[in-house]
Amino acid sequence: MSPVSATQAPPISFEDTRVAFASKSDAQLRKVYALFAAMNNGSLVKTGSGLMKAALKWNLPGTKFLIKHSIFEQFCGGETIAECRLVTAELGKYNIGTILDYSVEGEGSDRSYDHTRDEILATIEEAHRSRHIPFSVFKVTGVANVAILEKIQAGKLLTPTEEASHARAVARVEALCARAHQHGVRLFVDAEESWFQHTIDQLAYDMMAKYNREKAIVWNTYQLYRHDRLDALKAAHDTAAETGYYIGVKLVRGAYMEKEARVAKQRGYENPINPTKQATDDLYDESLRYCLEHVDRISTCAGTHNEASSLYLTQLMQQAGLAPGDPRVWFAQLYGMSDNLTYNLANAGYNTAKYLPYGPVAAVMPYLLRRADENTAIAGQSSREFLLIQKEIRRRQGR
């Protein structure tokens, strides 16, 4: 799709289910309807999650097949990069990019860290070969020891063994960023828990200073349910401007709210989470505005399922005179959710992408179920998805 000028940007309605579900046949839509109808039942989800975990643990016959052709199929791209290619191609037909998200958590050993590094390198190579994969992504805890990251943030001295372990972790991060820079592939560094996030931030900024001299290759993630994140973003921008490099910024609301509150209480420090959802929403939108005001230095991805914030970013772009397809501004949602956002934004010419988790069924499903348990935004989203699918089915029945 050729970029259109900002003044020609068509109006967007996130209620347009004809566009949102254009890729789904009637049969596919009914299948998704049944899945979200089940997910909309809280007690059923709780019971089903327990049964699914148990069945996977006990390796009951047929379990993997049932999961793979239901909830896994809805929210994951496949078990391997190769299996994800069909989904990547299908999304590409609608000008939607794919972000391959290797969603297998390591075992905490050098062997598992090296395996994760190699898998992320493979996603970078896949992105380099495909015009439909605009980003790669990784978690630092996938290639580094959490306890050491936490110890560094706390200002504690590392033992010689820990120093060596951390040096290997930094080398893994360096390998990922160097390969991304070599191929011109944007690379997200995911955000994690606050008690070692500063260590991750510093790693990301070190990589930006080295690899973001021409454009934003390495992107850091900011969880705006933390009240200090806009200040951190502003400080990062100031440093980049003084030092002469670009920064990539992925803005999300956050994924560890209950855990953050629990740990803060246990350790006796102030909860870093905003006191209300409205405060988080306001901070998120203020951060979008800050990024667009500094678009010459900051590239931005709004990783959100929030319709108001997504619409607000399109308005900010128009006010700034940016075309919908400006390469410095992106929107991203999880695969299998919020198609009313992704497809309508893409249809209007905005840069959009889907996070596409992949990995072996048994390894990926606990991750997805935990995300659903932890993230109330995702859990609450099921009602919205259900209503939109209902609306589209009724529209098709009235054709």
Side-chain angles (χ1 to χ4, degrees):
M1 181 179 292
S2 59
V4 295
S5 71
T7 56
Q8 294 175 322
I12 292 178
S13 169
F14 294 138
E15 297 292 327
D16 191 340
T17 58
R18 178 188 60 83
V19 172
F21 300 110
S23 67
K24 288 184 168 54
S25 66
D26 289 351
Q28 289 172 324
L29 198 62
R30 286 193 296 271
K31 184 176 180 179
V32 176
Y33 174 84
L35 179 63
F36 276 105
M39 288 180 62
N40 207 31
N41 184 322
S43 59
L44 182 61
V45 169
K46 187 175 181 179
T47 302
S49 296
L51 290 173
M52 200 176 299
K53 290 175 184 177
L56 285 169
K57 182 179 179 180
W58 297 333
N59 199 25
L60 295 182
T63 300
K64 178 179 174 181
F65 179 86
L66 289 172
I67 293 174
K68 190 167 184 179
H69 293 280
S70 56
I71 189 169
F72 183 91
E73 182 180 69
Q74 175 66 21
F75 298 111
C76 298
E79 295 193 78
T80 64
I81 291 173
E83 284 187 13
C84 290
R85 288 174 186 150
L86 284 175
V87 175
T88 297
E90 179 64 23
L91 290 170
K93 292 178 185 176
Y94 297 88
N95 298 308
I96 297 168
T98 292
I99 305 167
L100 292 172
D101 184 12
Y102 182 58
S103 299
V104 177
E105 297 179 4
E107 302 165 356
S109 65
D110 274 337
R111 181 179 178 181
S112 70
Y113 297 147
D114 288 344
H115 175 76
T116 298
R117 175 204 59 204
D118 293 344
E119 189 68 29
I120 305 304
L121 286 172
T123 69
I124 294 170
E125 293 292 340
E126 186 77 1
H128 173 55
R129 292 190 294 266
S130 172
R131 62 190 179 92
H132 299 311
I133 305 179
F135 296 91
S136 286
V137 61
F138 76 103
K139 278 189 172 186
V140 170
T141 53
V143 296
N145 183 290
V146 175
I148 294 175
L149 297 176
E150 185 176 349
K151 197 170 179 180
I152 291 170
Q153 181 158 318
K156 298 177 180 178
L157 288 177
L158 302 184
T159 66
T161 300
E162 289 171 335
E163 288 276 9
S165 175
H166 186 60
R168 291 192 295 273
V170 172
R172 294 183 193 103
V173 173
E174 176 90 41
L176 298 176
C177 295
R179 186 70 59 86
H181 179 262
Q182 176 188 344
H183 291 321
V185 173
R186 307 171 188 89
L187 181 64
F188 287 143
V189 180
D190 267 348
E192 304 194 51
E193 289 89 340
S194 63
W195 51 94
F196 55 88
Q197 181 60 47
H198 181 70
T199 311
I200 293 173
D201 289 343
Q202 286 306 123
L203 263 175
Y205 300 147
D206 289 346
M207 295 300 115
M208 287 184 190
K210 187 168 185 178
Y211 295 110
N212 287 11
R213 292 289 167 177
E214 297 87 20
K215 61 181 179 179
I217 291 293
V218 180
W219 296 47
N220 199 23
T221 304
Y222 296 83
Q223 300 190 101
L224 274 308
Y225 68 177
R226 283 184 56 182
H227 54 69
D228 63 343
R229 289 297 84 190
L230 178 54
D231 291 338
L233 169 58
K234 289 178 178 179
H237 170 256
D238 290 345
T239 300
E242 292 167 5
T243 313
Y245 61 87
Y246 297 89
I247 62 174
V249 170
K250 183 179 66 166
L251 301 177
V252 301
R253 277 171 168 77
Y256 309 102
M257 185 164 65
E258 293 179 4
K259 188 175 184 180
E260 289 282 359
R262 184 175 66 251
V263 172
K265 185 176 180 179
Q266 289 171 350
R267 300 187 182 183
Y269 60 80
E270 180 190 1
N271 187 348
I273 306 302
N274 284 314
T276 65
K277 182 181 183 302
Q278 188 60 53
T280 294
D281 291 342
D282 292 344
L283 192 62
Y284 191 94
D285 289 350
E286 187 180 349
S287 300
L288 288 176
R289 186 166 62 250
Y290 181 83
C291 288
L292 267 290
E293 287 171 353
H294 299 89
V295 70
D296 289 344
R297 179 74 56 183
I298 301 176
S299 293
T300 310
C301 177
T304 182
H305 292 229
N306 186 284
E307 296 178 18
S309 292
S310 298
L311 186 62
Y312 181 55
L313 181 52
T314 68
Q315 295 166 348
L316 288 173
M317 292 179 70
Q318 292 180 42
Q319 291 167 11
L322 301 179
D326 191 293
R328 296 168 294 184
V329 184
W330 284 80
F331 299 77
Q333 290 82 40
L334 295 173
Y335 180 70
M337 299 181 68
S338 296
D339 286 349
N340 64 313
L341 290 181
T342 314
Y343 281 79
N344 278 294
L345 285 165
N347 188 60
Y350 292 93
N351 296 317
T352 64
K354 285 287 197 185
Y355 256 74
L356 189 66
Y358 77 94
V361 171
V364 171
M365 286 311 302
Y367 161 84
L368 290 178
L369 291 172
R370 186 163 56 254
R371 285 291 300 273
D373 289 340
E374 291 176 350
N375 194 325
T376 55
I378 292 177
Q381 186 71 18
S382 63
S383 296
R384 175 65 168 152
E385 301 287 341
F386 182 58
L387 293 173
L388 288 167
I389 294 165
Q390 262 187 337
K391 179 181 176 182
E392 175 59 11
I393 289 174
R394 286 197 298 268
R395 187 195 71 80
R396 292 186 185 189
Q397 288 172 342
R399 283 184 300 211

